[in-house]
Amino acid sequence: FQQVLTACEQASEQPLQRLLCLLHFPLHKQDEVLHYGCPIGTLSAELAKQQEPDISRARLTAVFDLMKNWIEQQLIEMGQGQRASEIAMNLLAKMQGVIMIANVYNDAAFLHKGIDEIQHWLQQSLAN
């Protein structure tokens, strides 16, 4: 996922465009998303259920923390400092939800529609 974030950084100097790059990543990996879902979300959810004593919460959230912190940084650059954490968590949750449902139903149209709706939500959130 660090490579994905680095690619988004290299794609644009504009933080909004970087966020949109991340948001559209599941569309570029549509076949994998429809077949496997999100590997990090699935693994983290299953490990959290097991609550193994040798698996710390920090290890379970490491990749999500990486993405959340990166999203927050983009939002801070856009002047959303006070709301950056809230928007970042909502963005991650919305992306995970769309990916999960698209995977369960093997529905490419839902994946595309869901990403479009998240993009619209993001732009509205940034305008408020």
Side-chain angles (χ1 to χ4, degrees):
F1 277 91
Q2 181 61 56
Q3 291 175 347
V4 170
L5 300 177
T6 299
C8 290
E9 289 174 357
Q10 293 172 347
S12 179
E13 293 183 13
Q14 301 298 317
L16 177 58
Q17 294 305 313
R18 292 176 177 172
L19 288 173
L20 295 177
C21 175
L22 177 63
L23 179 59
H24 290 108
F25 178 74
L27 300 178
H28 300 297
K29 296 292 187 177
Q30 176 177 303
D31 291 341
E32 291 92 339
V33 165
L34 294 178
H35 187 72
Y36 300 109
C38 175
I40 301 304
T42 302
L43 177 62
S44 296
E46 288 304 314
L47 291 174
K49 289 177 194 173
Q50 294 177 12
Q51 297 184 15
E52 294 290 334
D54 61 332
I55 300 173
S56 72
R57 181 66 47 194
R59 287 177 57 198
L60 287 174
T61 64
V63 175
F64 285 116
D65 289 342
L66 172 72
M67 291 190 298
K68 181 180 177 287
N69 293 337
W70 185 87
I71 293 167
E72 286 178 1
Q73 184 57 46
Q74 306 314 305
L75 293 165
I76 289 168
E77 288 182 31
M78 297 170 63
Q80 297 289 330
Q82 291 183 333
R83 301 176 55 227
S85 180
E86 176 188 347
I87 294 171
M89 285 294 279
N90 281 314
L91 180 59
L92 285 174
K94 289 176 188 308
M95 287 180 70
Q96 281 298 305
V98 166
I99 290 169
M100 182 188 73
I101 297 299
N103 166 247
V104 168
Y105 287 97
N106 193 30
D107 190 338
F110 181 85
L111 179 65
H112 285 263
K113 183 176 185 255
I115 296 297
D116 286 346
E117 288 175 357
I118 296 169
Q119 181 173 332
H120 180 73
W121 165 84
L122 178 61
Q123 290 173 327
Q124 280 188 319
S125 295
L126 296 173
N128 293 337

